[in-house]
Amino acid sequence: MAAARPRLSAGREISGGRAMEAAGGEQRELLIQRLRAAVHYTTGCLCQDVAEDKGVLFSKQTVAAISEITFRQCENFARDLEMFARHAKRSTITSEDVKLLARRSNSLLKYITQKSDELASSNMEQKEKKKKKSSAAKGRKTEENETPVTESEDSNMA
Amino acid sequence: MEEREGGFRKETVERLLRLHFRDGRTRVNGDALLLMAELLKVFVREAAARAARQAQAEDLEKVDIEHVEKVLPQLLLDF
């Protein structure tokens, strides 16, 4: 995956260095094209949903416009998220940063907070499952272990 | 997370964000990526729905660029 690096222009450059810089720029351009296309595809799908819900038709230019707006808005989102994390002295962006991003509209904030809580609780469930599995595998006596043991002893149980 | 027809892939969202980071060390955690995917989905659906409502308010069935233009300012203020 191409990491986004700011292009530094030194005072003196060897022609070889310049060629590499140009190649890096090309790679970035290619990445941008692919991302634009991916955003456009998903935008198309979502617009299709809305079209069906509302009983309207979206012109191709409309879908393209929404896709472009979304793509550009990602730049603002990315920069903001990075700043939020840095402000909290972190280098990893977390859900807290995303919630902060959604602060402008109450209903949006509520929605994102809800999703975040859902994610957090499903993460907790996953952790619980892993804990139980690993302790069962180690053969320690846990609550869950008693159930399989009784089942095997009772051969009458289907 | 609900599985619907549309939705941004985690990988796409990660690359989209990384494209604009200024610091090479900045990362995004899994949950934040999923939330951002949701946020972007809401953004697109809002844009589409508001434009559709604008077209319908003008008694039209086809949503065109002018309708997007009309709803764009408020949309950007809300996000």
Side-chain angles (χ1 to χ4, degrees):
Chain A
M1 192 168 77
R5 290 214 186 101
R7 282 200 254 154
L8 305 166
S9 50
R12 273 186 262 154
E13 277 179 272
I14 328 166
S15 55
R18 235 184 220 149
M20 269 188 61
E21 202 182 80
E26 262 180 54
Q27 253 207 326
R28 186 180 164 89
E29 282 309 313
L30 275 169
L31 176 64
I32 291 177
Q33 295 309 347
R34 274 166 50 206
L35 287 174
R36 266 216 176 89
V39 172
H40 192 269
Y41 173 72
T42 306
T43 303
C45 292
L46 292 170
C47 284
Q48 186 57 36
D49 282 357
V50 176
E52 284 169 19
D53 281 348
K54 296 211 162 250
V56 293
L57 278 171
F58 286 96
S59 72
K60 280 208 299 190
Q61 297 93 327
T62 303
V63 177
I66 295 178
S67 159
E68 183 63 21
I69 294 165
T70 306
F71 186 80
R72 294 213 196 158
Q73 195 63 3
C74 283
E75 178 164 357
N76 290 340
F77 288 159
R79 299 248 169 116
D80 283 356
L81 288 169
E82 189 176 37
M83 296 255 163
F84 296 158
R86 167 173 278 180
H87 185 65
K89 300 195 169 64
R90 281 186 269 107
S91 55
T92 301
I93 292 165
T94 66
S95 330
E96 292 308 300
D97 302 317
V98 180
K99 283 188 216 170
L100 198 53
L101 194 66
R103 69 197 176 288
R104 294 217 161 92
S105 145
N106 281 336
S107 45
L108 180 64
L109 180 58
K110 204 170 156 191
Y111 180 77
I112 293 292
T113 306
Q114 201 179 304
K115 287 290 167 192
S116 171
D117 292 342
E118 281 172 26
L119 273 174
S121 62
S122 86
N123 284 347
M124 290 276 288
E125 280 176 31
Q126 293 240 343
K127 278 190 182 167
E128 293 295 307
K129 280 186 188 168
K130 277 188 179 170
K131 266 189 196 170
K132 287 182 174 173
K133 270 189 185 169
S134 67
S135 46
K138 284 179 185 169
R140 267 185 259 140
K141 267 196 184 156
T142 61
E143 287 145 31
E144 266 229 324
N145 240 359
E146 289 172 7
T147 342
V149 169
T150 30
E151 276 179 15
S152 62
E153 278 178 12
D154 254 335
S155 51
N156 288 338
M157 283 174 91
Chain B
M1 289 258 152
E2 15 176 302
E3 289 299 322
R4 261 148 140 196
E5 279 177 38
F8 288 94
R9 288 173 56 218
K10 223 169 152 182
E11 206 180 279
T12 309
V13 177
E14 182 167 33
R15 289 179 183 186
L16 270 169
L17 295 176
R18 277 212 185 186
L19 191 63
H20 301 293
F21 288 156
R22 290 198 172 144
D23 189 338
R25 289 166 297 172
T26 307
R27 301 278 178 271
V28 194
N29 86 7
D31 282 359
L33 277 178
L34 289 171
L35 283 180
M36 275 312 293
E38 272 303 305
L39 188 77
L40 288 172
K41 185 162 125 186
V42 172
F43 184 82
V44 172
R45 291 184 66 99
E46 264 308 293
R50 290 184 191 193
R53 252 174 269 151
Q54 181 63 40
Q56 284 171 327
E58 296 174 15
D59 270 325
L60 296 164
E61 271 183 10
K62 190 160 188 220
V63 189
D64 258 315
I65 275 219
E66 317 103 58
H67 307 123
V68 177
E69 285 173 8
K70 286 179 185 165
V71 302
L72 188 58
Q74 190 59 51
L75 179 73
L76 294 180
L77 285 171
D78 286 341
F79 273 82

